[in-house]
Amino acid sequence: MGLRYIYAGMVAALVSSLPATAQTRYQVKVTNLENKKGQLYIGWYGSADAFMKPQKTALAKVVPVQAKDEVIVEFDKVPAGRYAISVFLDENGNEDLDTNLVGIPKEKYGFSNNVLPAMRPATYEEAAFEVKNTPGSLSIKLK
């Protein structure tokens, strides 16, 4: 019975000695919704390999919008680090960004740093930004 208490004490000491991951609050303002309705999909990505792969988001939210030109979405407990955000407005409820035959989006979309290349999606490096240990905000204008 004594060994169990010693083991539990050692585990507690080990866990308490691990560095705590700093987290903060971040606001993402999404503009140019044009009073449309649907679901706004916001995905945070922590690496180029994960960028725009929904199953690999570091943080994600789906926010209903209706008859608004802009929304502000709060993200609590964002770990410090480097991220890129991808956003799209699913107007028809199929949970996907609809594109035409040549791959051009038919629904509104955007990226952090408001990167909107003419003939391709933004890259992680173009959209990446740093989250520090202090609250922050950014604005993304949909195209």
Side-chain angles (χ1 to χ4, degrees), residues 18-71:
L18 294 175
T21 303
Q23 296 178 338
T24 191
R25 181 178 325 122
Y26 231 82
Q27 283 187 344
V28 177
K29 180 179 179 181
V30 181
T31 64
N32 200 32
L33 293 169
E34 296 181 343
N35 297 313
K36 296 189 181 220
K37 63 180 181 175
Q39 302 274 24
L40 191 63
Y41 285 76
I42 305 171
W44 290 57
Y45 301 91
S47 71
D49 291 337
F51 192 53
M52 294 198 305
K53 295 179 179 129
Q55 68 278 17
K56 294 186 175 186
T57 56
L59 300 165
K61 281 195 179 181
V62 179
V63 180
V65 295
Q66 185 159 342
K68 294 182 181 178
D69 192 48
E70 67 182 41
V71 295

Side-chain angles (χ1 to χ4, degrees), residues 48-138:
D49 291 337
F51 192 53
M52 294 198 305
K53 295 179 179 129
Q55 68 278 17
K56 294 186 175 186
T57 56
L59 300 165
K61 281 195 179 181
V62 179
V63 180
V65 295
Q66 185 159 342
K68 294 182 181 178
D69 192 48
E70 67 182 41
V71 295
I72 296 176
V73 182
E74 295 274 346
F75 288 85
D76 293 326
K77 300 181 181 176
V78 179
R82 186 176 165 106
Y83 298 95
I85 298 176
S86 171
V87 179
F88 77 92
L89 179 62
D90 180 21
E91 295 179 56
N92 61 6
N94 69 350
E95 300 178 1
D96 204 6
L97 175 63
D98 295 330
T99 59
N100 64 17
L101 292 174
V102 293
I104 297 172
K106 295 193 296 186
E107 295 176 302
K108 296 180 106 14
Y109 66 95
F111 302 98
S112 45
N113 295 335
N114 287 311
V115 179
L116 292 171
M119 301 301 288
R120 61 173 175 78
T123 66
Y124 175 81
E125 289 303 320
E126 292 171 327
F129 64 98
E130 285 293 323
V131 172
K132 306 281 186 197
N133 295 331
T134 57
S137 65
L138 60 85

